[in-house]
Amino acid sequence: LIEETYMSPSHYLFMRNIYKVFAALDYTLNELDVWYDSTKDDLKERVAFIHNNLEVEHFIKNKKGYLVSWEKSKIDSPILDLITFYQKEYMNFDFESLFRKYLKNYPLKDNEQKLLFIVISIPPLINLEGKEMNVTRDIRKKLDYIFKTENLIKNLSSEGI
């Protein structure tokens, strides 16, 4: 006899798309190995003055664009602001165009771009505990992140950006 088990809608959504979570993990692990092999002998790392708290509210558009609220700024990797901004705002902007424009004005080294893609590809933690509606909404949001990130990287990488 095969015993049927009830699977909640959130668990079903997660199980139906778990292959995407594993694909994202495989990508990050494989690319991290490639990145490490290409950078392990580097004696220098490029750093930049970064905002360190990048949010939409900190951008003011005039004839030029300006970033305000620099009190948390520091010197660190030039990709950190891009990572945190993407993770916060991935659904609210066309990041393909945004990254293209950014990279045209502020080019990243190949190893920096590779690390940027690796870090944003790490799947967010998925929690299956809690109220069913909240869990389902959270899983959908995190799956959207995975799908959107995969497409972003595929499109940018295919054009050699």
Side-chain angles (χ1 to χ4, degrees):
L1 282 181
I2 298 177
E3 185 177 321
E4 285 193 35
T5 327
Y6 170 74
M7 188 180 298
S8 69
S10 60
H11 287 82
Y12 178 74
L13 175 65
F14 177 69
M15 294 306 292
R16 191 181 67 190
N17 291 284
I18 197 158
Y19 75 98
K20 276 296 185 190
V21 176
F22 285 121
L25 287 170
D26 285 343
Y27 171 83
T28 58
L29 288 172
N30 292 333
E31 290 298 305
L32 192 57
D33 285 340
V34 172
W35 174 84
Y36 177 74
D37 287 341
S38 69
T39 61
K40 66 183 175 190
D41 296 327
D42 291 353
L43 299 176
K44 293 181 181 182
E45 180 183 346
R46 185 168 75 142
V47 292
F49 192 64
I50 65 169
H51 191 273
N52 198 36
N53 189 26
L54 196 56
E55 297 193 21
V56 175
E57 294 81 24
H58 296 157
F59 183 75
I60 296 175
K61 182 85 168 131
N62 201 346
K63 290 182 182 177
K64 289 182 169 183
Y66 296 96
L67 281 176
V68 296
S69 186
W70 285 85
E71 61 271 358
K72 294 183 181 178
S73 63
K74 65 180 183 174
I75 296 176
D76 211 323
S77 172
I79 66 172
L80 288 180
D81 278 338
L82 297 172
I83 291 167
T84 55
F85 189 66
Y86 179 77
Q87 289 171 336
K88 288 180 199 174
E89 300 288 344
Y90 67 95
M91 288 302 284
N92 300 323
F93 292 98
D94 174 10
F95 273 90
E96 192 173 328
S97 298
L98 189 87
F99 279 169
R100 268 199 197 92
K101 186 173 184 175
Y102 179 89
L103 295 172
K104 181 180 174 190
N105 294 311
Y106 308 102
L108 295 174
K109 293 180 176 182
D110 289 343
N111 65 338
E112 292 168 336
Q113 184 174 310
K114 182 175 275 302
L115 186 58
L116 168 67
F117 289 169
I118 291 167
V119 174
I120 67 172
S121 294
I122 297 171
L125 181 64
I126 296 175
N127 184 1
L128 298 174
E129 300 294 322
K131 292 186 177 182
E132 185 63 29
M133 182 62 86
N134 295 339
V135 172
T136 303
R137 204 176 289 132
D138 188 54
I139 291 170
R140 179 75 265 155
K141 182 179 176 185
K142 290 174 178 178
L143 289 170
D144 287 345
Y145 178 91
I146 292 169
F147 280 92
K148 184 164 183 157
T149 303
E150 178 186 41
N151 287 331
L152 172 71
I153 292 170
K154 188 184 331 173
N155 292 342
L156 292 176
S157 296
S158 69
E159 297 175 18
I161 292 180

